[in-house]
Amino acid sequence: MNETLEGMKFLLEIDMSDPAFHDNAATELGRILRYWAGNLRHYSLEPGCRESVYDSAYREVGQWSVALPADDGNTAASP
């Protein structure tokens, strides 16, 4: 196991009350997950790394972050 990853968490929070989710939540969430699945390789994925997540209309609907177990995801530094 890579010791630099030990104990770290990847946190993804999406507000599904956004209008983009009303007609087809599974489609919108799938689009977001596919986008980030392809783009995570561009990030260092170390504690403090975070990015906003946008819906298909480019409205911010959440964020992802990398945190240590004691970190709730709200104290990490911005990139």
Side-chain angles (χ1 to χ4, degrees), residues 7-70:
M8 290 196 315
K9 293 194 278 184
F10 181 85
L11 307 169
L12 174 65
E13 183 175 2
I14 304 291
D15 178 2
M16 292 177 62
S17 66
D18 182 87
F21 290 91
H22 293 176
D23 291 333
N24 195 339
T27 298
E28 187 66 22
L29 188 55
R31 187 201 63 78
I32 290 169
L33 292 171
R34 279 190 309 278
Y35 174 84
W36 282 108
N39 283 302
L40 284 174
R41 62 190 165 105
H42 299 292
Y43 293 85
S44 61
L45 298 182
E46 58 191 31
C49 187
R50 71 173 48 216
E51 282 292 331
S52 295
V53 173
Y54 298 90
D55 68 9
S56 55
Y58 302 105
R59 293 180 294 247
E60 188 172 337
V61 294
Q63 70 176 6
W64 65 259
S65 63
V66 178
L68 293 172

